[in-house]
């Protein structure tokens, strides 16, 4: 477990663990519920055709009523003797009109493309039908002429063409295909696995059971874009997943990352996946309630941006570079003032801070935690001594990269760590990269005793190196923040820019660092990286050497 900061700095912190009214069926409303209000015109008059919000009990009851009458309804709208209706959903309008959505079967087989909506007046009279197909469902034979194996082979070929590496289909079933043309007997085959960008795969392939011809294919994983009101980054877009009529915080576009609610628990379980009815998440304000979505918005947004940062900057697809997302847990513990990465669960965990109203879910913290996973799955830097300091610094370096990459006006990029979460209670950041000793514990430069410091303080040497390599020494202002970075040897260092500095550090981490890399060998590794990227006589190579010398690493 790699926590965000050294907990022993504050003695007041908790110790981390190892790792109503009845439904009115006549109206479908709950007495006194705000949901009973329907959309209104400027006059305040309710719109007759506006849907009312049914309570769960009312909706269930209405579905049962409509299903009980389904056979009669099928005959009334002219369906054949072999056709049956299955209720999928019901909507009731303010004027009493009921719209019932049905799936259809034919001789017991699902009819794909056979769905329809029946519209009934308040009195129960059918007023119209909206059909997916106007074709008559009639199939001469329900005996296929091609085998299931052939249909599955075809589906696998289609899935592989879309990037899936699955070697077997997840199953095939007989259906009636009515989605286009004349209805026919068909197979629906589903292939899972992952798509080429790491998104979960659920490819549905429809094959004509008489000819073997592929009739249709579609992707069953549906992505949605929600709106999140975060605490630290303003209003942001979130990639969510629609499951039935409910959205959840699953990002299928970024390796299926999920955000869970620990509800102040500390067990090793993931928790409960966040769900929402309208895909608008959070309030933008902190709350001690475990039902609060705002912390989840920040954590989800941070995971999204971190994934995009690694993909765009380094071509890395996820923490393990295998297209698979980690997951995040928020509302961990009671007033838990920390955040940590745990490689055993492949997850990030965030506490809610003092009073459970100061979640540690800011953008640079999220980037920091995910980057611990990258380190664990590349160099595997031991989490103690100098290698531990390099481990922590790597997360600070890439967390800073994430913050700049996001280009978020509510949380502009800077070389301050944790400046948004106010962990000190006085508005100061947790760490400073330009002069690490400003936090009262971190080292500005190397000495023989650096390895004896907590890893959150020995990290200062590498953080300072990275700042100098990126921006150079001396006084300057970046994005409205003033810096004044000293050097241990009195030298003047000219920076090469953050983008190049990031490339060098990432190359060193993934190619030259090992589990036991210390500061001396980190200098060697970053020089090797600079040489590989820019040449051994380049300005970049010389800047790496100068920046290390400036923090007393030779």
């Amino acid at each position: 477990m790699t926590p965000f900061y050294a907990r022993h700095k504050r003695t007041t912190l908790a110790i981390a663990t190892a790792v109503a009214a009845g439904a009115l069926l006549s109206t479908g409303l709950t007495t006194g519920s705000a949901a009973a209000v329907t959309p209104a015109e400027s006059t305040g008059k309710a719109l007759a055709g506006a849907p009312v919000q049914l309570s769960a009990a009312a909706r269930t009851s209405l579905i049962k009523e409509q299903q009980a009458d389904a056979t009669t309804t099928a005959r009334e709208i002219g369906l054949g003797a072999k056709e049956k209706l299955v209720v999928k959903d019901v909507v009731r309008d303010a004027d009493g009109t009921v719209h019932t959505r049905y799936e259809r079967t034919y001789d017991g087989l699902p009819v794909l493309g056979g769905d329809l909506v029946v519209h009934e007046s308040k009195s129960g009279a059918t007023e119209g039908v909206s059909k997916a197909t106007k074709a008559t469902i009639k199939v001469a034979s329900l005996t296929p002429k091609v085998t299931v194996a052939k249909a599955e082979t075809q589906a696998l070929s289609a899935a592989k063409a879309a990037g899936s590496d699955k070697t077997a289909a997840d199953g095939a079933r007989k259906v009636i295909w009515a989605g286009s043309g004349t209805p026919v007997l068909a197979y629906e085959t589903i292939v899972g696995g992952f798509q080429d960008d790491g998104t979960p795969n659920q490819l549905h392939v429809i094959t004509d059971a008489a000819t073997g011809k592929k009739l249709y294919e579609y992707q069953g994983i549906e992505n949605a874009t929600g709106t999140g009101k975060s605490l630290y980054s303003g209003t942001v877009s979130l990639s969510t997943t629609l499951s039935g009529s409910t959205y959840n915080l699953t990002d299928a576009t970024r390796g299926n990352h999920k955000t869970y609610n620990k509800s102040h628990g500390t067990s090793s379980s993931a928790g409960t996946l966040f769900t929402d009815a309208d895909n608008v998440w959070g309030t933008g304000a902190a709350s001690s309630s475990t039902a609060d979505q705002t912390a989840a918005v920040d954590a989800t947004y941070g995971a999204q941006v971190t994934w995009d940062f690694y993909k765009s900057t380094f071509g890395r697809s996820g923490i393990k570079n295998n297209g698979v997302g980690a997951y995040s847990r928020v509302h961990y513990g009671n007033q838990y003032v920390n955040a940590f990465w745990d490689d055993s669960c492949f997850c990030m965990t965030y506490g809610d801070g003092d009073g459970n109203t100061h979640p540690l879910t800011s953008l640079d913290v999220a980037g920091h935690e995910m980057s611990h996973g990258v380190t664990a799955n590349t160099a595997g830097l031991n989490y103690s001594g100098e290698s531990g300091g390099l481990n922590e610094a790597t997360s600070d370096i890439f967390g800073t990269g994430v913050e700049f990459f996001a280009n978020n006006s509510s949380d502009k990029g800077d070389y301050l760590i944790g400046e948004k979460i106010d962990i000190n209670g006085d508005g100061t950041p947790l760490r400073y990269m330009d002069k690490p000793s400003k936090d009262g514990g971190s080292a500005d430069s190397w000495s023989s005793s650096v390895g004896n410091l907590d890893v959150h303080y020995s990290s200062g040497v590498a953080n300072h190196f990275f700042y100098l390599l990126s921006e150079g020494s001396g006084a300057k202002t970046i994005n409205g923040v003033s810096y004044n970075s000293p050097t241990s040897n009195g030298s003047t260092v000219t920076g090469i820019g953050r983008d190049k500095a990031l490339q060098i550090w990432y190359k060193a981490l993934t190619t030259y660092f090992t589990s036991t890399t210390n500061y001396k060998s980190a200098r060697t590794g970053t020089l090797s990286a600079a040489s590989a990227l820019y040449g051994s006589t380049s300005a970049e190579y010389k800047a790496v050497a100068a920046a290390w010398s400036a923090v007393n690493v030779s």
Side-chain angles (χ1 to χ4, degrees):
M1 186 175 81
T2 49
F4 181 60
Y5 81 111
R7 301 183 59 79
H8 64 259
K9 284 188 73 173
R10 288 159 184 77
T11 59
T12 59
L13 303 182
I15 301 300
T17 63
V19 221
L24 303 180
L25 296 184
S26 60
T27 64
L29 301 177
T30 301
T31 303
S33 170
V37 179
T38 56
E41 298 174 340
S42 58
T43 61
K45 180 181 179 181
L47 301 175
V52 295
Q53 184 173 337
L54 298 171
S55 68
R59 180 176 179 275
T60 298
S61 179
L62 191 52
I63 286 175
K64 288 181 178 179
E65 289 177 13
Q66 297 300 85
Q67 188 62 62
D69 293 336
T71 299
T72 300
T73 302
R75 302 295 81 82
E76 287 180 350
I77 64 175
L79 299 189
K82 292 184 178 182
E83 297 178 81
K84 292 184 178 181
L85 294 175
V86 179
V87 179
K88 182 178 181 181
D89 194 18
V90 179
V91 173
R92 188 196 294 276
D93 292 342
D95 64 1
T97 300
V98 174
H99 312 272
T100 306
R101 184 175 298 278
Y102 296 92
E103 300 288 1
R104 194 179 345 180
T105 65
Y106 177 86
D107 209 3
L109 297 179
V111 180
L112 305 185
D115 53 295
L116 52 89
V117 181
V118 177
H119 314 284
E120 296 177 332
S121 67
K122 183 177 181 179
S123 65
T126 300
E127 295 184 325
V129 183
S130 301
K131 293 182 177 181
T133 179
K134 295 181 179 180
T136 299
I137 309 299
K138 186 176 182 179
V139 177
S141 173
L142 296 181
T143 302
K145 294 182 180 179
V146 300
T147 65
V148 170
K150 182 173 182 178
E152 291 181 342
T153 298
Q154 183 183 82
L156 280 169
S157 296
K160 287 179 179 178
S164 174
D165 60 358
K166 285 280 284 186
T167 58
D170 293 345
R173 64 172 181 166
K174 285 198 300 183
V175 298
I176 303 299
W177 172 249
S180 59
T182 302
V184 297
L185 180 68
Y187 287 111
E188 179 191 32
T189 307
I190 302 175
V191 181
F194 294 92
Q195 300 173 52
D196 56 2
D197 66 349
T199 301
N201 191 55
Q202 197 181 96
L203 187 69
H204 295 241
V205 179
I206 311 301
T207 304
D208 191 314
T211 66
K213 178 183 177 181
K214 185 175 77 172
L215 299 173
Y216 190 72
E217 70 175 64
Y218 72 94
Q219 181 56 250
I221 296 295
E222 298 181 18
N223 302 324
T225 301
T227 299
K229 298 176 182 179
S230 77
L231 179 61
Y232 300 116
S233 298
T235 299
V236 297
S237 293
L238 300 178
S239 180
T240 61
T241 294
L242 178 62
S243 178
S245 60
T246 304
Y247 297 92
N248 63 70
L249 287 184
T250 299
D251 186 351
T253 67
R254 297 176 179 86
N256 218 29
H257 172 273
K258 299 176 186 291
T259 302
Y260 293 92
N261 187 355
K262 285 298 295 176
S263 300
H264 292 168
T266 58
S267 70
S268 60
S269 67
T272 305
L273 183 65
F274 277 93
T275 60
D276 188 79
D278 62 5
N279 215 15
V280 178
W281 305 79
T283 64
S287 168
S288 60
S289 170
T290 58
D292 172 54
Q293 297 177 343
T294 302
V297 170
D298 281 292
T300 301
Y301 174 65
Q304 288 183 181
V305 175
T306 302
W307 178 286
D308 293 348
F309 163 75
Y310 276 101
K311 190 69 177 287
S312 177
T313 308
F314 309 120
R316 187 177 186 85
S317 183
I319 287 175
K320 289 186 176 181
N321 203 22
N322 62 354
V324 178
Y327 66 87
S328 299
R329 308 186 301 175
V330 300
H331 298 317
Y332 176 88
N334 184 33
Q335 301 193 69
Y336 180 69
V337 191
N338 219 329
F340 61 87
W341 167 265
D342 187 344
D343 207 52
S344 66
C345 69
F346 202 58
C347 67
M348 298 164 287
T349 302
Y350 304 91
D352 284 328
D354 288 334
N356 288 321
T357 56
H358 294 77
L360 278 77
T361 50
S362 66
L363 190 54
D364 58 353
V365 177
H368 175 105
E369 296 306 335
M370 287 189 78
S371 294
H372 274 306
V374 173
T375 298
N377 288 280
T378 55
L381 289 161
N382 292 333
Y383 203 61
S384 65
E386 292 188 18
S387 62
L390 287 164
N391 189 317
E392 270 297 312
T394 295
S395 283
D396 282 351
I397 287 167
F398 290 139
T400 296
V402 166
E403 195 175 71
F404 274 102
F405 174 82
N407 195 27
N408 185 300
S409 60
S410 296
D411 188 5
K412 293 181 179 180
D414 54 51
Y415 292 93
L416 309 175
I417 307 302
E419 75 283 355
K420 282 282 188 178
I421 58 177
D422 193 22
I423 207 165
N424 296 321
D426 58 5
T428 60
L430 180 61
R431 291 188 283 275
Y432 304 78
M433 299 185 85
D434 65 318
K435 189 177 180 182
S437 61
K438 286 174 68 176
D439 68 8
S442 292
D444 287 337
S445 57
W446 183 87
S447 70
S448 59
S449 61
V450 158
N452 297 326
L453 297 176
D454 181 279
V455 295
H456 298 85
Y457 308 140
S458 60
S459 62
V461 180
N463 280 343
H464 194 190
F465 158 80
F466 179 78
Y467 176 86
L468 289 170
L469 181 62
S470 299
E471 306 293 348
S473 57
K476 53 182 59 65
T477 300
I478 304 167
N479 279 349
V481 179
S482 297
Y483 303 95
N484 193 355
S485 191
T487 59
S488 66
N489 59 0
S491 65
T492 298
V493 176
T494 300
I496 60 173
R498 185 178 55 261
D499 291 345
K500 289 182 178 179
L502 283 168
Q503 293 296 334
I504 289 169
W505 194 266
Y506 180 79
K507 176 72 173 176
L509 178 75
T510 57
T511 308
Y512 300 108
F513 288 2
T514 66
S515 60
T516 59
T517 294
N518 57 19
Y519 276 114
K520 183 176 181 65
S521 52
R523 175 187 172 109
T524 301
T526 50
L527 285 171
S528 295
S531 178
L533 292 170
Y534 306 108
S536 60
T537 60
S538 65
E540 292 80 5
Y541 183 95
K542 294 174 183 176
V544 170
W548 277 124
S549 295
V551 295
N552 198 34
V553 177
S554 58

